[in-house]
Amino acid sequence: MRLFVTGATGYIGSAVARELLEAGHQVTGLARSDTAAATLSAVGADVHRGALEDLDSLRAGATAADGVIYAANKHISETTDPTARARVELSAVETIGAALEGSDKPFVVTTGTMGLAFGRLGTEADAADPQGLGAFALRVPTEQAVIAMAERGVRSSAVRLAPLVHGEGDQRGFTPTLVGLARAKGVSAHVGDGSNRWPAVHRLDAAHLFRLAVESAPAGSRWHAVGEEGVPFREIAEAIGRQLKLPVVGIAAEDAGTHFGFLGPLVSIDNPTSSALTQERLGWRPTNLPLIADIKEGHYFND
């Protein structure tokens, strides 16, 4: 297939592009800079100049393709404006969906497991929670729009990424952010007893799922890029502490904002998530290193 990929030079999107190319697909990546264009050309992808805010560019890229993968996934950070990010994302996704309407072409969009209700095991059958936490709730309309496109002749699907997408090259995700905080604070911390769980997936396993979804996912479906249902936050803090030779401490919930900064509202979330249906129905099998083993590899600690 000729596949148009947004975010094709990002941490996740670049792995998706390589996965597609190695499977024999033709990839056209969205590039907003000369650097991005050169990166795409270097791996054998075609270049489509534009940006997520350039709706005419998105429309043209989608129309010329046999399918689209929206792999753009801006990291949450101190400088992120969640409302602006959600607005740009929804507009971009709706524009692409309109361009594909009535074609039965596949359209796979990145969402996240933290859009689900917290404190219980989430499954692919669960709708996103519009009453969820902050930035994650703001992204729920995008997932809802994607699923609704199935009624308009688009083979649309949502791939919900675990919050901990890990692997070499991870520079701005949650894991390197936690490593940086531990270095700055002199301790590796968790909230309370650290029993709250975050799901995780290796970047290469996630990329493989995107390929399976664009090739065969039915319209209006949801899939979970989750290799581990829930890694206790305490174990993450301990793994980071061992590598940095720092003490591991539990801090009170009321002190989370002071210690973790913009991550304060997130670090005590309990977000266990299953990928059983994804594995059963798409034949997806995570085969790469789990999170704690990946942290032990040491690449998160290279200066």
Side-chain angles (χ1 to χ4, degrees):
M1 287 190 286
R2 294 169 300 161
L3 296 170
F4 178 44
V5 181
T6 69
T9 60
Y11 174 61
I12 297 166
S14 61
V16 172
R18 284 195 296 272
E19 170 81 19
L20 295 170
L21 289 165
E22 289 172 2
H25 296 293
Q26 179 182 335
V27 173
T28 298
L30 182 69
R32 68 183 305 157
S33 68
D34 291 340
T35 299
T39 298
L40 290 167
S41 296
V43 298
D46 296 326
V47 175
H48 181 82
R49 297 304 291 256
L52 295 179
E53 298 85 354
D54 182 351
L55 302 185
D56 288 339
S57 161
L58 296 180
R59 195 176 294 111
T63 300
D66 297 323
V68 181
I69 295 179
Y70 184 95
N73 188 40
K74 188 173 182 180
H75 293 286
I76 295 172
S77 70
E78 295 175 291
T79 58
T80 300
D81 179 344
T83 302
R85 161 189 164 163
R87 185 167 55 247
V88 168
E89 180 175 80
L90 180 59
S91 179
V93 166
E94 288 182 331
T95 296
I96 294 170
L100 298 177
E101 191 167 325
S103 69
D104 200 34
K105 292 178 180 179
F107 182 25
V108 183
V109 176
T110 304
T111 60
T113 69
M114 281 195 172
L116 298 171
F118 300 135
R120 62 176 180 80
L121 186 66
T123 76
E124 296 88 338
D126 294 327
D129 181 8
Q131 304 303 316
L133 180 68
F136 303 108
L138 288 171
R139 298 186 74 190
V140 169
T142 295
E143 181 173 308
Q144 292 173 330
V146 172
I147 299 305
M149 289 172 192
E151 302 299 321
R152 305 202 308 270
V154 182
R155 185 160 65 80
S156 60
S157 61
V159 170
R160 291 168 170 166
L161 287 172
L164 293 164
V165 182
H166 59 92
E168 289 199 48
D170 184 7
Q171 298 178 339
R172 295 186 297 157
F174 286 126
T175 303
T177 299
L178 293 171
V179 169
L181 278 168
R183 279 180 164 146
K185 300 287 186 177
V187 296
S188 184
H190 53 79
V191 174
D193 65 2
S195 61
N196 62 296
R197 298 153 291 177
W198 277 22
V201 67
H202 195 281
R203 169 195 187 210
L204 299 182
D205 289 323
H208 183 53
L209 178 55
F210 275 95
R211 176 169 71 82
L212 294 177
V214 80
E215 289 175 345
S216 61
S221 55
R222 308 179 187 94
W223 309 102
H224 285 178
V226 171
E228 297 173 88
E229 290 189 352
V231 183
F233 210 92
R234 180 184 62 255
E235 294 183 13
I236 301 169
E238 289 170 347
I240 292 171
R242 281 193 296 270
Q243 292 293 321
L244 294 176
K245 297 181 172 54
L246 292 175
V248 178
V249 300
I251 62 174
E254 57 266 28
D255 297 326
T258 300
H259 185 90
F260 289 100
F262 75 95
L263 286 182
L266 309 179
V267 291
S268 59
I269 285 174
D270 190 36
N271 183 223
T273 308
S274 170
S275 63
L277 293 176
T278 298
Q279 296 190 46
E280 175 188 339
R281 295 175 183 175
L282 285 186
W284 178 66
R285 296 289 183 273
T287 60
N288 288 278
L289 285 176
L291 176 65
I292 300 303
D294 198 18
I295 291 174
K296 289 180 181 177
E297 289 287 291
H299 57 84
Y300 278 108
F301 307 91
N302 297 330
D303 295 324

